[in-house]
Amino acid sequence: MIRKDPNLGDPVDQDPCSGTTKVPNLEKRDGVYVIATSERALNDRLLTEGWYDSSGKYLLNSAPGFQHCGTRYPIWRQKKNGDTSTMCIQIHNNNCYLPFYIETKMCGTKEIFYLKKTIFSSAYCFGTPNIPPTFNVKPNVTTRLRNNKYTSKLEFRCEFSKHADDVFYTTNWVVNGELVLSEEPLKWSGGGVIETHALTEAKLISVNITQVGFELRCSVTASVGNDTAASVPVLSDSKFIGIKISEESLTLSEGGFADISLLLTVPFGCGTEGLGCELLVESVHLETTADCNQSRLASSSCGTVFSDTKWNKAATIRVFGQVSQTLGSASTMLKVKMVTPDVLPGNEFWARYTVGVITVQLKKEHRPDCTEVVSCSH
C-alpha cells in the first residue's frame, strides 16, 4: 500500500517489494529501439505514479539518442546515490534537460523503481541487465616530478591500455596493502583519464600519507556507465617509494668496517631554477647496551648525500667498529638509524624519513671492553 508523505510528497511504502506494477511496453523501452515515422511514441505523462518492476531490466545509464526507447524524448539515469537516482530527459540538443529525481529500492538482487509522471512526449528507458566488460589489463605504476620554480612534487600514474569499447575507467590506489583512493569513473579521452587520475602528493596527504617510505600499487576497472557494475580489478606490481637499504643487520669485529648501500627508488628535485640540490641521509647512533653507563641518542656528523641530477646512483655509508679501552662484554648489540633532515624546503615529503635501522653485533677480538659503532660517509 503506497501513500504520500504530506510534508515532502515522497513515496512512503511499508513493503514496496511485494506491491509493484510491471513497467508497460518494456519491449519498446530498450535504448536501441527507434520509433518509426508514423509510430505512436510512448508517453509517460499519463503513467500512474508508483513502484514498478522492470522484470530484471535496469534504467538506461547513458543517453540513448533522440527518438530512441520508443519515445521522442528518452529518460535515462545519469547517476545513482543510494536509493536516489538522478534522471535526465534527452532532447535534440541537450542530453540532460530538466533533470529530476526518483526513488529506487533493492529487493534482493532486483531493483524496483518509483516512477513519476513525466512531461511532454517522454518515457523511461530500460535495458538488459548490466554485465561489466571484460578488462583484465595489468597496469603499471610510473613516477615523475611536477616542478615549479622552487619545489618538486612526486606524482604517480597508473598506466594501462585502452579497452576496445567506449567504457568508463576507475583507477584505484593501494598503499601498504590498503585501498586509500578510488578516482571518479571517466572515459578514455585520448588517454587523458590517466593524467586526471594521477596520484599527487596532495591526494596522498588527503588520506593521511605525508612522507615517503610506502609500497604503492594500483588497479583499473572498466564499466559501461559511471554507476554500473565494474570489471574485476587486476593489481599492478608493488613499487616501493623511498630509499632501499642494502643491509638490516651486520656483524663487525673491533677495527672492522662494512659498507651500507642506499638507493633511491624515485626521483627528487628542487624546482625549475636549475641550481641543483642534494638529499642528505644522516646516521644516528643508538646506544642500547647496559655495558655503557651513559646510553643515549646522539646524532653523528657522518652521512651521505644524493644529487638530484644523479638520484638513481647508489650512495654508501661506511660503518666502523671502533675499539674502546673500557672493560665490557665480549659482544655488543648496537643500532644505527639512517634518517633524512627534519626540514627540506620544497621536498617536504622526504623530511623526517627513517630510511632504516641497522642492527650491529660488535665482537671484541682481544679484551672485553665497552665499544661503540661510529658511522662515516664513504
Side-chain angles (χ1 to χ4, degrees), residues 166-353:
D166 187 23
V167 299
F168 286 82
Y169 303 92
T170 298
T171 302
N172 308 292
W173 291 103
V174 176
V175 174
N176 295 333
E178 297 290 334
L179 176 65
V180 297
L181 184 64
S182 290
E183 302 284 357
E184 287 294 322
L186 291 175
K187 290 197 173 183
W188 181 253
S189 299
V193 61
I194 296 176
E195 176 78 19
T196 304
H197 285 177
L199 183 65
T200 62
E201 288 187 20
K203 288 181 181 179
L204 284 166
I205 290 171
S206 73
V207 293
N208 299 317
I209 298 167
T210 58
Q211 67 175 192
V212 295
F214 55 86
E215 296 282 345
L216 182 63
R217 304 177 81 179
C218 72
S219 67
V220 180
T221 58
S223 59
V224 296
N226 62 2
D227 193 32
T228 61
S231 60
V232 177
V234 178
L235 278 170
S236 69
D237 290 333
S238 182
K239 183 177 181 65
F240 179 70
I241 311 302
I243 302 176
K244 287 186 175 180
I245 192 164
S246 62
E247 304 288 344
E248 294 185 355
S249 62
L250 296 171
T251 300
L252 292 179
S253 299
E254 285 184 324
F257 68 88
D259 288 332
I260 299 171
S261 179
L262 307 177
L263 182 64
L264 281 167
T265 64
V266 290
F268 82 99
C270 46
T272 57
E273 285 292 276
L275 300 177
C277 57
E278 295 179 334
L279 175 63
L280 171 65
V281 178
E282 301 172 306
S283 64
V284 176
H285 174 200
L286 303 173
E287 293 186 15
T288 58
T289 69
D291 297 314
C292 299
N293 295 325
Q294 297 180 346
S295 295
R296 65 191 184 280
L297 178 67
S299 295
S300 168
S301 60
C302 305
T304 191
V305 294
F306 292 94
S307 166
D308 64 322
T309 59
K310 298 179 180 179
W311 64 267
N312 54 355
K313 181 180 179 181
T316 301
I317 292 180
R318 178 162 289 180
V319 180
F320 292 92
Q322 192 173 44
V323 179
S324 173
Q325 301 303 317
T326 309
L327 293 179
S329 61
S331 180
T332 304
M333 296 297 293
L334 298 173
K335 294 181 183 296
V336 176
K337 181 168 69 171
M338 307 297 175
V339 296
T340 60
D342 289 343
V343 180
L344 284 171
N347 280 288
E348 289 80 4
F349 237 61
W350 292 95
R352 300 175 299 280
Y353 166 43

Side-chain angles (χ1 to χ4, degrees), residues 85-124:
S85 292
T86 304
M87 309 301 296
C88 290
I89 304 173
Q90 184 179 19
I91 61 176
H92 65 283
N93 62 351
N94 191 338
N95 284 350
C96 195
Y97 180 66
L98 297 178
F100 63 97
Y101 303 97
I102 67 168
E103 299 303 309
T104 67
K105 181 177 175 62
M106 295 303 299
C107 299
T109 59
K110 179 178 67 176
E111 187 178 25
I112 62 173
F113 315 91
Y114 192 88
L115 301 182
K116 302 176 181 179
K117 296 178 187 294
T118 65
I119 59 174
F120 46 83
S121 298
S122 60
Y124 294 97

Side-chain angles (χ1 to χ4, degrees), residues 3-116:
R3 61 184 176 85
K4 292 280 191 171
D5 186 306
N7 297 316
L8 301 178
D10 292 331
V12 179
D13 193 347
Q14 293 180 352
D15 188 14
C17 293
S18 61
T20 58
T21 303
K22 295 293 183 182
V23 176
N25 304 112
L26 266 175
E27 69 281 359
K28 289 187 176 183
R29 294 177 182 270
D30 195 280
V32 298
Y33 189 96
V34 182
I35 58 173
T37 303
S38 59
E39 184 179 2
R40 185 174 181 178
L42 296 179
N43 188 351
D44 287 337
R45 184 174 64 84
L46 302 177
L47 188 73
T48 301
E49 190 168 319
W51 286 104
Y52 282 83
D53 182 349
S54 61
S55 300
K57 292 191 174 184
Y58 70 100
L59 280 171
L60 213 62
N61 48 41
S62 60
F66 183 57
Q67 294 189 332
H68 284 236
C69 301
T71 187
R72 293 191 182 278
Y73 305 108
I75 299 174
W76 59 282
R77 175 157 61 184
Q78 183 192 54
K79 186 177 182 180
K80 181 179 179 182
N81 185 10
D83 290 337
T84 301
S85 292
T86 304
M87 309 301 296
C88 290
I89 304 173
Q90 184 179 19
I91 61 176
H92 65 283
N93 62 351
N94 191 338
N95 284 350
C96 195
Y97 180 66
L98 297 178
F100 63 97
Y101 303 97
I102 67 168
E103 299 303 309
T104 67
K105 181 177 175 62
M106 295 303 299
C107 299
T109 59
K110 179 178 67 176
E111 187 178 25
I112 62 173
F113 315 91
Y114 192 88
L115 301 182
K116 302 176 181 179

